[in-house]
Amino acid sequence: LSNCAGSKVVINGVEYVQADNATYGVYTVDGDYEMNTLADMQWLANKVNTGAEYFAGKTVKLANNIYLSNQLFDPIGWGYEHDDFTANGKTFNGTFDGGNHIIFGLYQNGWEANDCGKTYSYDMAGGGLFASVENATIKNLVMIDAIVTFECVEAGIVVGLAQGSCTFDNIRIFDSKIA
């Protein structure tokens, strides 16, 4: 795989698209958000983690396979306020529909982050693609080659901390580990 944005690789007949600098948060005609790149996923994390948008009643759709290149990735939704661990509601509250696309190479390491995740952009409730969700639906998602390593927080490949009434449907995880 080359280091050029938009490069593609085929693994076991599945095409993976390396992250590029496409427009953040593509808004689709039906009002749902469409994620095409790593930059779009980072946009989603930033919106939730800063409290700008929690996506309640909205659907975020994964439109392509995303190759994260094992880069350190901020989880989506962090749920706690700094050191006192008071709930702040900064959780993903919508529907994330992976469209049976693959997120390949999620990498999070609390040891590298130093001091229980504080080197990440936010102090967080958990580790995983989503650190914290509340009354959310996560469905039709495939995760391959994910590594999530944390001490001090709940950790999962897809979700670290689920609160309220959450639905998880048709999620497949391969060659991944939580340490």
Side-chain angles (χ1 to χ4, degrees), residues 24-34 43 58:
Y24 295 165
V26 177
Y27 205 76
T28 62
V29 177
D30 60 4
D32 296 334
Y33 289 87
E34 184 177 281
W43 174 88
K58 297 178 182 172

mmCIF file of all heavy atoms in Angstrom, residues 24-34 43 58:
data_model
loop_
_atom_site.group_PDB
_atom_site.id
_atom_site.type_symbol
_atom_site.label_atom_id
_atom_site.label_comp_id
_atom_site.label_asym_id
_atom_site.label_seq_id
_atom_site.Cartn_x
_atom_site.Cartn_y
_atom_site.Cartn_z
ATOM 1 N N TYR A 24 -15.222 16.873 4.713
ATOM 2 C CA TYR A 24 -15.706 16.271 5.955
ATOM 3 C C TYR A 24 -17.225 16.198 5.976
ATOM 4 O O TYR A 24 -17.900 17.119 5.558
ATOM 5 C CB TYR A 24 -15.264 17.095 7.166
ATOM 6 C CG TYR A 24 -13.780 17.134 7.404
ATOM 7 C CD1 TYR A 24 -13.253 18.083 8.251
ATOM 8 C CD2 TYR A 24 -12.911 16.246 6.804
ATOM 9 C CE1 TYR A 24 -11.892 18.147 8.510
ATOM 10 C CE2 TYR A 24 -11.558 16.293 7.055
ATOM 11 C CZ TYR A 24 -11.055 17.239 7.902
ATOM 12 O OH TYR A 24 -9.724 17.295 8.161
ATOM 13 N N GLY A 25 -17.748 15.116 6.547
ATOM 14 C CA GLY A 25 -19.170 14.996 6.840
ATOM 15 C C GLY A 25 -20.084 15.223 5.664
ATOM 16 O O GLY A 25 -20.883 16.139 5.673
ATOM 17 N N VAL A 26 -19.984 14.380 4.650
ATOM 18 C CA VAL A 26 -20.835 14.518 3.486
ATOM 19 C C VAL A 26 -22.293 14.398 3.925
ATOM 20 O O VAL A 26 -22.665 13.466 4.623
ATOM 21 C CB VAL A 26 -20.504 13.426 2.441
ATOM 22 C CG1 VAL A 26 -21.436 13.509 1.259
ATOM 23 C CG2 VAL A 26 -19.046 13.542 2.004
ATOM 24 N N TYR A 27 -23.105 15.347 3.543
ATOM 25 C CA TYR A 27 -24.519 15.355 3.893
ATOM 26 C C TYR A 27 -25.294 14.807 2.705
ATOM 27 O O TYR A 27 -25.211 15.328 1.613
ATOM 28 C CB TYR A 27 -24.968 16.784 4.188
ATOM 29 C CG TYR A 27 -26.152 16.872 5.095
ATOM 30 C CD1 TYR A 27 -26.028 16.660 6.447
ATOM 31 C CD2 TYR A 27 -27.400 17.173 4.574
ATOM 32 C CE1 TYR A 27 -27.121 16.757 7.286
ATOM 33 C CE2 TYR A 27 -28.510 17.269 5.402
ATOM 34 C CZ TYR A 27 -28.365 17.058 6.757
ATOM 35 O OH TYR A 27 -29.460 17.149 7.587
ATOM 36 N N THR A 28 -26.035 13.731 2.898
ATOM 37 C CA THR A 28 -26.726 13.107 1.781
ATOM 38 C C THR A 28 -28.092 13.735 1.553
ATOM 39 O O THR A 28 -28.611 14.456 2.395
ATOM 40 C CB THR A 28 -26.889 11.593 2.025
ATOM 41 O OG1 THR A 28 -27.675 11.402 3.188
ATOM 42 C CG2 THR A 28 -25.549 10.908 2.193
ATOM 43 N N VAL A 29 -28.689 13.439 0.430
ATOM 44 C CA VAL A 29 -29.964 14.016 0.036
ATOM 45 C C VAL A 29 -31.072 13.683 1.038
ATOM 46 O O VAL A 29 -31.916 14.505 1.335
ATOM 47 C CB VAL A 29 -30.366 13.514 -1.377
ATOM 48 C CG1 VAL A 29 -31.729 14.047 -1.775
ATOM 49 C CG2 VAL A 29 -29.312 13.904 -2.378
ATOM 50 N N ASP A 30 -31.052 12.478 1.607
ATOM 51 C CA ASP A 30 -32.121 12.080 2.526
ATOM 52 C C ASP A 30 -31.902 12.577 3.952
ATOM 53 O O ASP A 30 -32.633 12.219 4.859
ATOM 54 C CB ASP A 30 -32.316 10.561 2.518
ATOM 55 C CG ASP A 30 -31.070 9.795 2.939
ATOM 56 O OD1 ASP A 30 -30.061 10.432 3.314
ATOM 57 O OD2 ASP A 30 -31.105 8.558 2.909
ATOM 58 N N GLY A 31 -30.908 13.413 4.172
ATOM 59 C CA GLY A 31 -30.671 13.993 5.491
ATOM 60 C C GLY A 31 -29.722 13.218 6.375
ATOM 61 O O GLY A 31 -29.413 13.649 7.475
ATOM 62 N N ASP A 32 -29.273 12.065 5.905
ATOM 63 C CA ASP A 32 -28.313 11.274 6.662
ATOM 64 C C ASP A 32 -26.896 11.721 6.324
ATOM 65 O O ASP A 32 -26.650 12.306 5.270
ATOM 66 C CB ASP A 32 -28.465 9.785 6.326
ATOM 67 C CG ASP A 32 -29.819 9.236 6.732
ATOM 68 O OD1 ASP A 32 -30.430 9.786 7.666
ATOM 69 O OD2 ASP A 32 -30.256 8.259 6.111
ATOM 70 N N TYR A 33 -25.994 11.429 7.247
ATOM 71 C CA TYR A 33 -24.587 11.746 7.015
ATOM 72 C C TYR A 33 -23.904 10.535 6.394
ATOM 73 O O TYR A 33 -24.185 9.404 6.766
ATOM 74 C CB TYR A 33 -23.894 12.098 8.328
ATOM 75 C CG TYR A 33 -24.327 13.420 8.887
ATOM 76 C CD1 TYR A 33 -25.455 13.515 9.707
ATOM 77 C CD2 TYR A 33 -23.621 14.578 8.606
ATOM 78 C CE1 TYR A 33 -25.862 14.735 10.223
ATOM 79 C CE2 TYR A 33 -24.021 15.802 9.123
ATOM 80 C CZ TYR A 33 -25.145 15.868 9.930
ATOM 81 O OH TYR A 33 -25.535 17.076 10.441
ATOM 82 N N GLU A 34 -22.990 10.788 5.475
ATOM 83 C CA GLU A 34 -22.277 9.718 4.797
ATOM 84 C C GLU A 34 -20.783 9.856 5.063
ATOM 85 O O GLU A 34 -20.198 10.900 4.814
ATOM 86 C CB GLU A 34 -22.561 9.807 3.297
ATOM 87 C CG GLU A 34 -21.954 8.703 2.490
ATOM 88 C CD GLU A 34 -22.346 8.828 1.035
ATOM 89 O OE1 GLU A 34 -23.482 8.444 0.698
ATOM 90 O OE2 GLU A 34 -21.508 9.322 0.255
ATOM 91 N N TRP A 43 -14.118 13.812 11.639
ATOM 92 C CA TRP A 43 -15.109 14.884 11.726
ATOM 93 C C TRP A 43 -16.242 14.464 12.656
ATOM 94 O O TRP A 43 -16.671 15.231 13.515
ATOM 95 C CB TRP A 43 -15.634 15.197 10.330
ATOM 96 C CG TRP A 43 -16.764 16.177 10.287
ATOM 97 C CD1 TRP A 43 -16.670 17.533 10.225
ATOM 98 C CD2 TRP A 43 -18.157 15.868 10.306
ATOM 99 N NE1 TRP A 43 -17.932 18.089 10.198
ATOM 100 C CE2 TRP A 43 -18.863 17.087 10.248
ATOM 101 C CE3 TRP A 43 -18.887 14.682 10.360
ATOM 102 C CZ2 TRP A 43 -20.244 17.154 10.248
ATOM 103 C CZ3 TRP A 43 -20.265 14.741 10.359
ATOM 104 C CH2 TRP A 43 -20.933 15.969 10.301
ATOM 105 N N LYS A 58 -30.766 10.880 13.971
ATOM 106 C CA LYS A 58 -30.103 10.949 12.667
ATOM 107 C C LYS A 58 -29.340 9.651 12.401
ATOM 108 O O LYS A 58 -28.987 8.922 13.322
ATOM 109 C CB LYS A 58 -29.143 12.134 12.620
ATOM 110 C CG LYS A 58 -29.858 13.454 12.779
ATOM 111 C CD LYS A 58 -28.907 14.616 12.783
ATOM 112 C CE LYS A 58 -29.697 15.905 13.009
ATOM 113 N NZ LYS A 58 -28.814 17.039 13.207
#
